[in-house]
């Protein structure tokens, strides 16, 4: 049987109320208690907004074009439906924001999914006041772990993102836990 020494409140010890502490021993109950529910609520609201937006776009597209799920539109007709230009659709394709199918002759064909993607990209660009290339880079950050790590590091250097706890701090916490449990 392992003898446990009494000690200060640590992660997993109910003495600190939440069972959570930072690497330097500070209680996270205040920050976590306010931040986590807010983040979850914001995420749920964003999902609801996205679903509503997709439904509205599909309804508008179907009303305008009487688009069936298997139907494909040429680029000029797709641009007219989306109230944009063929040039903008080709630009978004070059950035990887839209991936239209190709006909046997090599012409771009836009189906329901591609039209919704183009409309959603346009909505995000307007909502966040960013360019299509900014949005394409954001998608790249989400898709490529190496790029995400580099961008995270830049955020840490500019103090816009909280840094990860250093490995030494994690080692210290592990050693402290071993001492409290009298492990070798």
């Amino acid at each position: 049987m392992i003898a446990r020494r009494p000690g200060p409140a640590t992660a997993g010890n109910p003495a600190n109320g939440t069972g959570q502490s930072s690497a330097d021993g500070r209680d996270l109950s205040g920050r976590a208690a306010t931040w986590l529910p807010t983040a979850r609520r914001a995420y749920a609201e964003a999902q609801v907004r996205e679903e509503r937006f997709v439904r509205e776009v599909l309804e508008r597209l179907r009303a305008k074009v009487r688009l069936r799920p298997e139907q494909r539109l040429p680029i000029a007709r797709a641009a007219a439906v989306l109230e944009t230009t063929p040039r903008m659709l080709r630009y978004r394709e070059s950035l990887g924001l839209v991936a239209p199918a190709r006909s046997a002759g090599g012409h771009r064909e836009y189906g329901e999914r591609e039209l919704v993607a183009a409309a959603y990209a346009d909505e995000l660009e307007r909502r966040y006041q960013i360019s299509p290339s900014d949005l394409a880079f954001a998608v790249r950050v989400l898709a490529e772990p190496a790029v995400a790590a580099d961008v995270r590091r830049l955020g840490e250097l500019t103090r816009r993102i909280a840094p990860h706890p250093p490995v030494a701090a994690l080692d210290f916490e592990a050693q402290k836990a071993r001492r409290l449990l009298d492990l070798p």
Side-chain angles (χ1 to χ4, degrees):
M1 183 169 159
I2 298 173
R4 185 178 173 124
R5 279 190 251 154
T10 59
N13 186 347
N16 71 0
T18 63
Q20 296 178 344
S21 65
S22 66
D24 60 359
R26 290 177 292 151
D27 185 14
L28 296 179
S29 60
R31 278 192 296 184
T34 58
W35 177 81
L36 193 57
T38 304
R40 285 184 180 148
R41 189 176 331 106
Y43 181 74
E45 289 170 0
Q47 282 185 317
V48 168
R49 270 196 319 269
E50 178 187 349
E51 290 169 5
R52 187 179 317 128
F53 175 78
V54 169
R55 271 195 314 273
E56 289 171 3
V57 167
L58 281 174
E59 289 170 10
R60 189 180 67 210
L61 292 173
R62 288 178 180 146
K64 262 187 177 179
V65 203
R66 302 209 190 322
L67 188 67
R68 295 181 309 277
E70 71 281 351
Q71 185 180 1
R72 299 219 162 266
L73 302 177
I75 190 168
R77 182 103 189 270
V81 167
L82 293 168
E83 299 172 356
T84 189
T85 63
R87 182 178 180 184
M88 180 54 87
L89 287 177
R90 285 191 294 274
Y91 178 56
R92 284 200 174 106
E93 179 186 1
S94 73
L95 294 172
L97 296 175
V98 180
R102 298 287 181 143
S103 69
H107 298 284
R108 292 170 178 86
E109 294 182 329
Y110 291 80
E112 194 173 82
R113 182 180 183 96
E114 292 83 13
L115 292 173
V116 169
Y120 195 56
D122 187 56
E123 170 66 20
L124 291 175
E125 291 159 14
R126 287 184 186 156
R127 184 185 307 163
Y128 298 109
Q129 300 175 356
I130 58 173
S131 69
S133 62
D134 293 339
L135 185 59
F137 184 71
V139 171
R140 183 175 174 204
V141 167
L142 294 172
E144 299 178 26
V147 177
D150 290 342
V151 170
R152 177 173 245 318
R153 180 68 182 134
L154 176 62
E156 291 170 356
L157 290 170
T158 60
R159 294 189 179 111
R160 292 188 69 186
I161 298 174
H164 284 295
V167 175
L170 296 175
D171 286 341
F172 172 76
E173 288 294 319
Q175 289 171 1
K176 184 169 76 172
R178 282 190 195 100
R179 281 194 311 269
L180 289 172
L181 296 172
D182 287 330
L183 294 177

